[in-house]
Amino acid sequence: MKESARRGGGAVPTDADERASESGAWGDPTADAVLRPVRAGNAFEETVERLMAAIKLGVVPPGARFPAERDLAARLGVSRITLREALRALQQAGHVEVRRGRFGGTFVTGPPPAPEPGEARRRVEDMGPALDDALTFREVLEVGAVQTLAGRGLDPAQRALLLARLDAVDTATPEDYRRLDTAFHLTLAELTGSSSLTAAAADVRMRLNDLLNAIPVLERNIEHSAVQHAAIVRAVIDADPEAARRAMAEHLDGTAALLRGFLA
């Protein structure tokens, strides 16, 4: 739905607008990694987890609509009853709202609130060695992803997608920066063609996102990250695996240093 219409003014949304809104989650390169089938046994709990991951990672961004119930249930491999119960739990928690009528559906109300620095520090303390484990795992995954991409090369469509993701994060507002940064990084994993790697990258990003969201978005850090992102993309497009490895490792080291500096 168009932004102006969603806010109560401007043009009435068209059918094309609504189709684009509903299909937005499917078009995101991280959708397969996040909205994947749940395991048997804890279907309700894992469905809630998947839906919250889609919100936190920006697969379904604030103001956007989840895919149709029938399609989403099939995607997650659960019954529509289980899906409705999970969506109801998210609605009660204030993460989604249900709108009726022709342009209705289940919409994300906004990003989950970031933890206060004190709460984030307590989470770091609770994680203990798990924080270093997550940071190391992320580095192995993402460095490996860009080395693979640079060694393999990109086709024109993949190159266009990667450049679009780079442009999106470069021009992001501070409020949208973390979400679009997440999309950029997970796109690199998705472009390898490995669903296992992409799912692992999404999972480790979920483990770190609450902590990243507790760090202030610093203009100097954004400028530095933009240079590093560009270096990563340039190395991938130039088919230079070693340069891609160095650029990603340097970038992730900077993120880890910020986390430890603010939250240790």
Side-chain angles (χ1 to χ4, degrees), residues 28-54:
D28 192 292
T30 63
D32 285 341
V34 176
L35 297 173
R36 62 188 188 273
V38 305
R39 294 169 297 181
N42 297 302
F44 167 75
E45 291 81 4
E46 288 200 22
T47 300
V48 170
E49 180 185 25
R50 295 282 193 275
L51 298 176
M52 280 303 301

Side-chain angles (χ1 to χ4, degrees), residues 14-38:
T14 66
D15 289 340
D17 294 329
E18 291 306 308
R19 286 193 298 271
S21 174
E22 185 166 292
S23 65
W26 307 114
D28 192 292
T30 63
D32 285 341
V34 176
L35 297 173
R36 62 188 188 273
V38 305

Side-chain angles (χ1 to χ4, degrees), residues 51-62:
L51 298 176
M52 280 303 301
I55 294 172
K56 287 186 174 184
L57 293 177
V59 171
V60 186

